[in-house]
Amino acid sequence: MAGKSDNWSTEAYAAAASFVPKLATKVVSYLAVGENDHILDIGCGDGPLTAQIAASASKGWVLGLDASPNFITTAKSKYTTGNCTFRLQDCTQMKSCAVAINGKWDKVFSNAALHWILRNPDTRTDVFTDIHAALKPNGLFVCEFGGKGNIAEVHAAILSALVQYGVSIDQARESCPWFFPSEKWLHDKLQETGFEVEKVELENRPTKLTPKSADGSAGLQGWIKLMGAEMLKAVDEGLREQVVRSASEILETIITREEDGSQWIGYVRIRAVARKA
Ligand code: BEZ
């Protein structure tokens, strides 16, 4: 999930984004896990959803891949079982992982990871070509991640705060670590890389943040520090806290619900189901 330096920690993720694996009911239902399934999980994070899938594939095998050493260390220690294993792997470079690209997997799954993995336009097509190569003939690819318009208000507020602290708009945009495609983009890319597309859908899913904490590790500030870490690197370390506070202040009234003070941001999910033709 992460780039060259590891921005991820299981503790920070639990404080700011523990809702992510819990909101995966629909995409997991599309995966329709069978007890004998061999499933490759791309961008598995620290592993709770991989472990849940492996519990259903009780006579099969699930392998989770992630580029974050911190996440993979946690996943290995918490969730490794006889049929659930994890491996450190940059998923933009899956050709280097023979166990993944073996043409034998029944299913390839990915939740809340492809918007990071697809950031670099130069490796986007390779990611889908490699997933296709990983699957056995007629194998199924099921994914969910951020779609066009995802977290638009937070994205805009971070860009605006970076500009306020002296970053050019072009540099601010360049610092963005995500790619949120439209339905058409994903449909066309799947077809181009040899899949038969069964479904591509977009869902607006406002998502409640974890409650604010005094130390700023939870709530919106925690979310921006963790998920927006790459963007914050566009300013010197001494300014990052101010950028986070500025973006949070811009959003305060926009994302807060009067009835209970809870804060919600505009997640947009894109889901696809596609078969290796
Ligand atoms: C997402 O899951 O949609 C997401 C998470 C963090 C940053 C951007 C998007």
Side-chain angles (χ1 to χ4, degrees):
M1 269 170 140
K4 280 152 232 107
S5 61
D6 195 347
N7 296 323
W8 300 107
S9 88
T10 293
E11 295 71 29
Y13 202 77
S18 52
F19 49 80
V20 172
K22 295 178 193 150
L23 291 172
T25 314
K26 199 165 209 173
V27 69
V28 172
S29 79
Y30 291 169
L31 189 64
V33 183
E35 62 176 7
N36 295 306
D37 278 350
H38 284 212
I39 301 175
L40 183 64
D41 183 1
I42 292 185
C44 64
D46 58 1
L49 197 53
T50 321
Q52 184 191 314
I53 291 166
S56 302
S58 54
K59 297 180 187 159
W61 178 37
V62 182
L63 170 63
L65 305 179
D66 203 283
S68 160
N70 292 340
F71 273 167
I72 288 295
T73 300
T74 302
K76 280 184 174 172
S77 70
K78 267 178 105 169
Y79 298 115
T80 298
T81 63
N83 78 325
C84 184
T85 54
F86 299 91
R87 189 180 172 118
L88 184 65
Q89 177 65 40
D90 175 352
C91 294
T92 67
Q93 306 292 330
M94 278 189 290
K95 277 187 190 59
S96 64
C97 184
V99 68
I101 310 299
N102 62 8
K104 291 184 183 166
W105 296 94
D106 297 299
K107 294 170 184 171
V108 174
F109 175 75
S110 184
N111 180 56
L114 283 169
H115 45 258
W116 308 96
I117 295 166
L118 297 174
R119 169 62 180 92
N120 181 352
D122 297 340
T123 48
R124 275 179 202 159
T125 301
D126 290 348
V127 172
F128 291 95
T129 305
D130 292 347
I131 290 169
H132 192 270
L135 285 164
K136 70 182 192 187
N138 217 33
L140 199 67
F141 173 43
V142 176
C143 65
E144 174 173 323
F145 58 110
K148 198 74 191 169
N150 193 37
I151 55 133
E153 73 286 59
V154 186
H155 193 168
I158 301 172
L159 289 177
S160 160
L162 287 174
V163 170
Q164 184 188 344
Y165 282 90
V167 179
S168 74
I169 185 63
D170 286 344
Q171 278 177 307
R173 287 190 180 120
E174 189 49 38
S175 72
C176 169
W178 315 303
F179 174 61
F180 301 131
S182 67
E183 288 152 290
K184 176 164 171 41
W185 187 94
L186 184 55
H187 186 279
D188 291 354
K189 186 57 71 182
L190 286 165
Q191 271 191 341
E192 179 194 321
T193 49
F195 286 96
E196 259 168 32
V197 181
E198 294 187 1
K199 191 192 311 254
V200 176
E201 62 189 19
L202 206 67
E203 181 194 359
N204 287 317
R205 189 173 69 199
T207 298
K208 189 179 178 178
L209 294 173
T210 57
K212 286 179 197 172
S213 62
D215 67 357
S217 65
L220 179 61
Q221 292 203 14
W223 192 100
I224 293 174
K225 285 179 201 164
L226 180 69
M227 303 299 197
E230 281 304 313
M231 296 184 80
L232 298 176
K233 288 179 189 166
V235 292
D236 290 340
E237 204 167 346
L239 286 176
R240 288 179 196 159
E241 196 65 42
Q242 283 155 268
V243 170
V244 171
R245 259 188 265 121
S246 172
S248 306
E249 271 161 27
I250 293 167
L251 290 169
E252 181 67 22
T253 52
I254 295 166
I255 66 167
T256 305
R257 296 197 178 180
E258 283 70 14
E259 63 275 22
D260 60 3
S262 61
Q263 296 198 313
W264 297 65
I265 60 176
Y267 272 66
V268 177
R269 312 321 289 167
I270 191 162
R271 278 185 290 273
V273 177
R275 209 166 273 284
K276 178 168 181 168

